[in-house]
């Protein structure tokens, strides 16, 4: 238990480009958010195209949450889904 605070020091490098994929000529970040009255969620992908026209999509991150107990509009919940929390 005394070493649990050290968990924040751990980092794992993730490559968003596969081995052998030549230099990226175009890259786009695609983000999607969806919500209902009881949940909301968001996901982000990086779409890359190399000089040969090959396409590779990498999962960047995603999250899902239950909707707040107080009544909130669907557009507000979609914005909440895309918001990055740092805590």
């Amino acid at each position: 238990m005394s070493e649990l605070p050290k968990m924040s020091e751990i980092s794992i490098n993730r490559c968003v480009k596969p081995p052998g994929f030549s230099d990226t000529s175009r890259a786009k970040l695609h983000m999607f958010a969806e919500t209902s009255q009881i949940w909301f969620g968001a996901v982000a992908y990086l779409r890359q195209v190399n000089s040969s026209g090959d396409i590779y999509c990498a999962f960047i991150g995603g999250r899902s949450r239950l909707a707040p107990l107080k009544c909130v509009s669907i557009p507000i919940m979609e914005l909440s889904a895309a918001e990055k929390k740092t805590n």
Side-chain angles (χ1 to χ4, degrees):
M1 291 297 283
S2 64
E3 294 185 8
L4 276 178
K6 293 181 182 178
M7 293 287 288
S8 64
E9 299 171 11
I10 296 174
S11 85
I12 299 171
N13 294 329
R14 290 188 301 160
C15 182
V16 293
K17 194 163 73 168
F21 196 79
S22 61
D23 291 336
T24 301
S25 61
R26 288 181 307 205
K28 293 181 181 179
L29 183 64
H30 292 267
M31 296 183 72
F32 304 95
E34 186 64 46
T35 187
S36 75
Q37 293 295 329
I38 55 176
W39 63 270
F40 60 92
V43 66
Y45 292 93
L46 180 64
R47 181 182 187 268
Q48 303 171 82
V49 180
N50 67 10
S51 56
S52 303
D54 299 325
I55 298 171
Y56 182 76
C57 291
F59 174 76
I60 300 299
R63 63 179 266 173
S64 62
R65 299 282 188 264
L66 290 175
L69 292 176
K70 71 176 192 167
C71 188
V72 179
S73 71
I74 297 294
I76 294 296
M77 285 186 12
E78 286 179 343
L79 289 172
S80 296
E83 179 184 24
K84 181 180 187 247
K85 297 286 186 180
T86 57
N87 53 357

